[in-house]
Amino acid sequence: NRMPCQKDHPFPRPNPVRVYLLSSIHPVPSNMARRMRLALSAMLVGAATGFLVGPAAAPLPSITAAAPRNAARRSCLTMTMTTDEQSPPSLPANVVLCGGGIQSAAIAYYLSERGVSSTVIEQCEVACAASGKAGGFLARNWGAGATSQLHQVSFKLHQELAEDLSLQGYRKLPTLAVTPGSRSPDLGSLADKGQIPAWLDGDVEKASLLDDPGLVRRSMNNWDTAQTDPRELTEKLLAAAAAKAGSRVVTGTVQGVVRESCSENGGERGERVTGLIVDGEEVAADVCVFAMGPWTCLIEDWFEDLTLPMQGICSTSVVYRAAAAVDAFALFCGEDELGCNLEVYPRAASAEHEVYVCGVGGSRYLNNAQLKQVRPDGIEADAVRAEAGQQAFAALSSLGLAAPQTTQACLRPCPPDALPYLGAVPGTCNAYAAAGHNCWGILWAPVTGKAMAELILEGTSNCVDLAPFDPARFSGGEESASARTGRGRQRAGEPVGEQW
């Protein structure tokens, strides 16, 4: 306030301000606290508007407030402000995302939050594979080990996206463990109390909550499991990215990459991808991300030192249309005599009152070589397993007595260790992989988008640790056959539903 504002000479925009605040429960003298608040307010206003009051070259100060010397038991409040010595790196102009599914959509969205536009390349149509055919089940606490962080962070992000994007298909709901068998007489009273859905009116021996958050949270419908409509989420993420930053979707088939040696300047090593071959034409790229689900294994042929083992788990699902809205419960059923481990999800806010059923068994496994020979729109349902699923659901619920509206199939991308590939392609300085999400692709999509956006723009992920998901982890060594276990859906390390 003591320096005049030089209106005739606009100041250059200052370097970004970093604020570090170590808070204390002990009081700071009121006069000192007031001075610190005024100083902080002035600095933040200056940073937000792009101008600082005073000479443009003057460095931002370092401010430290300490407790009086005689206050031996008082801790202090310390606040420092520093400026970055270097200007922030320029934003990439040509970010290309390969694959039109939910992972690319989430990456495009979180890049757009930072003002970065991207081009999504998809050979069929948006959400044509698992992103449009998955159940959309979400669980906060079902992760174990390295995946716990993915579950926790992404579950919260889903709730934020539901509000920001006005998602109609998102809701929290209770999840039941169901044992098929002769119907227990106790189930009638549970249905009357609303503890199980009224439509679970068939051959059920037992039904109980998988995650009970407690009476208070139950009364608030604040469950630790939820559902979303994967197609709606994918489409709205892309629409928001287009509105925020001009991102776009282009139809085409990615056939290879164009590379050159990275500059040694700035510590870069290896090779840089300068473009992608799309339908025989080169598309320029400053950054490229391969998020093509199970078909991400194609990049093995484009990067000599990369080994990216993948299995496509081909599973059938059926979708029913109820006459009216049904109670919101997700079901995970034990194995029945037909070889099914049904998972049942009534859709939220569906005009057709859809009920999604998967876990019909009989999944097929496609290795890397087989995946490279099939297109996303060439995946067909197994008619035998679809019929088994229909019979199994009809035994559990009267909703299954009608013929299903849709019978479909999709591929879950599954690495040998059931962990996704999230990070830089080895030997490159601007190419990344985001694939292999197993049965949690819909749940992990938001955290994938946020983490990959941070990695691209800042050089590291801040929201989660990506080290366990390094795409290079199978390169340069033999794939362990013993790793091919426990890849089905699990709840905190315990198998739930169909396994593969």
Side-chain angles (χ1 to χ4, degrees), residues 44 55 99 133 155 158 178 197 204 227 244 252 266 289 309 321-322 346 350 385 408 452 459 464 482 497:
L44 292 181
K133 299 176 181 177
F155 190 87
H158 268 285
V178 174
V204 177
Q227 69 178 159
K244 289 173 181 286
V289 182
R321 179 181 295 177
S350 170
R385 297 316 306 170
Q408 60 190 7
M452 295 304 294
V464 288
S482 62

Side-chain angles (χ1 to χ4, degrees), residues 14-35:
N15 287 327
V17 179
R18 293 197 302 269
V19 179
Y20 303 91
L21 180 63
L22 304 180
S23 182
S24 170
I25 61 172
H26 299 287
V28 174
S30 59
N31 61 337
M32 184 178 296
R34 182 175 180 275
R35 291 198 301 270

Side-chain angles (χ1 to χ4, degrees), residues 380-398:
E380 297 181 353
D382 184 328
V384 173
R385 297 316 306 170
E387 176 63 28
Q390 293 172 45
Q391 293 181 30
F393 186 48
L396 290 176
S397 170
S398 56

Side-chain angles (χ1 to χ4, degrees), residues 4-12 51:
C5 179
Q6 303 175 20
K7 295 182 179 179
D8 296 333
H9 302 283
F11 297 110
F51 298 98

